[in-house]
């Protein structure tokens, strides 16, 4: 049941869980408002059509994007990622450069993963404080938990594809221009569909 005052879904984990009973084959998960390029789809497909043992450890694949290909600014890219403990106190800072691989929420998953996801959702809901309407069941957080518990292995599939997305209204102009360039470069035809 939805908590009093909650007006939106529980985020990406619940979105995938909504496919329970419908997905029978290995599948990919992406953000609907992001552009990933062709290359990572090919790599995810090639990984997913292979035979994978799901009995002991869940095989998961993830497109690893080069950080510099996911940012709109053209200058040098270096970021310090702050690692914090459960109290929010910093325990370290890791520098990542423009060639570091990052996740843009493009996953390759097995149908059996949905059963794990459902168990995780039950645990997530039981840990929610009464009246908390902001909690989110995030796919990458759950996958990270599985990884650290030894219940999953994540195969990173590096790609040089350029990523862009519409997170804010202000992103629309730059994304529109990026698509114009893809058409001008011949990546896509003038008419994407008839």
């Amino acid at each position: 049941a939805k908590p009093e005052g909650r007006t939106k879904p529980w985020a990406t984990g619940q979105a995938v869980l909504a496919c329970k009973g419908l997905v029978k084959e290995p599948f990919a998960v992406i953000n609907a408002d992001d552009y990933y390029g062709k290359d990572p789809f090919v790599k995810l497909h090639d990984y997913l059509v292979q035979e994978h043992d799901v009995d002991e450890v869940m095989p998961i694949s993830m497109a690893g994007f080069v950080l510099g290909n996911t940012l709109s600014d053209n200058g040098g890219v270096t970021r310090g990622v702050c690692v914090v403990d459960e109290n929010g106190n910093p325990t370290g800072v890791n520098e990542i450069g423009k060639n570091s691989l990052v996740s843009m929420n493009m996953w390759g998953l097995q149908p059996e993963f949905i059963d794990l996801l459902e168990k995780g959702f039950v645990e997530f809901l039981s840990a929610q404080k009464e009246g908390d309407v902001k909690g989110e069941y995030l796919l990458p957080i759950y996958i990270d938990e599985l990884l650290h518990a030894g219940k999953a292995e994540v195969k990173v599939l590096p790609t040089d594809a350029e990523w862009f997305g519409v997170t804010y209204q202000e992103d629309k102009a730059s994304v529109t221009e990026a698509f114009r360039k893809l058409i001008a470069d011949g990546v896509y035809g003038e008419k994407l569909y008839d």
Side-chain angles (χ1 to χ4, degrees):
K2 188 170 74 167
E4 191 67 35
R6 186 166 185 95
T7 58
K8 64 178 191 171
W10 293 101
T12 50
Q14 187 194 11
V16 176
L17 193 51
C19 299
K20 182 174 171 62
L22 302 172
V23 175
K24 311 286 189 208
E25 305 290 337
F27 63 102
V29 173
I30 62 170
N31 291 339
D33 54 358
D34 292 349
Y35 173 80
Y36 294 95
K38 294 179 180 180
D39 179 65
F41 282 101
V42 172
K43 288 181 173 165
L44 272 185
H45 168 269
D46 291 350
Y47 181 82
L48 289 172
V49 296
Q50 298 170 25
E51 287 291 321
H52 296 283
D53 181 10
V54 299
D55 293 334
E56 299 294 323
V57 178
M58 183 60 59
I60 296 170
S61 53
M62 179 198 91
F65 285 80
V66 176
L67 176 62
N69 291 341
T70 67
L71 303 172
S72 57
D73 56 84
N74 297 313
V77 177
T78 303
R79 297 287 186 265
V81 177
C82 195
V83 181
V84 296
D85 63 19
E86 61 276 0
N87 298 316
N89 300 315
T91 59
V93 177
N94 298 330
E95 280 295 319
I96 59 172
K98 68 177 182 179
N99 294 321
S100 300
L101 294 180
V102 294
S103 168
M104 301 309 293
N105 224 21
M106 185 177 199
W107 302 95
L109 302 167
Q110 305 297 316
E112 294 85 356
F113 174 82
I114 296 176
D115 293 329
L116 280 179
L117 192 63
E118 185 174 42
K119 288 178 190 163
F121 192 45
V122 171
E123 292 169 10
F124 166 81
L125 289 175
S126 67
Q128 294 302 295
K129 294 182 176 71
E130 190 166 339
D132 181 3
V133 296
K134 296 192 183 285
E136 292 186 311
Y137 187 51
L138 298 168
L139 193 57
I141 301 293
Y142 182 64
I143 290 174
D144 185 63
E145 288 174 11
L146 289 177
L147 190 60
H148 282 92
K151 296 179 181 175
E153 290 177 348
V154 177
K155 173 76 172 170
V156 178
L157 308 172
T159 180
D160 288 326
E162 187 176 354
W163 172 96
F164 46 86
V166 183
T167 306
Y168 304 102
Q169 183 64 34
E170 296 78 15
D171 296 330
K172 185 178 177 183
S174 62
V175 169
T176 300
E177 183 53 39
F179 274 113
R180 279 198 193 105
K181 185 174 183 326
L182 287 169
I183 291 169
D185 291 346
V187 176
Y188 297 110
E190 189 69 43
K191 293 181 84 175
L192 293 178
Y193 55 89
D194 292 319

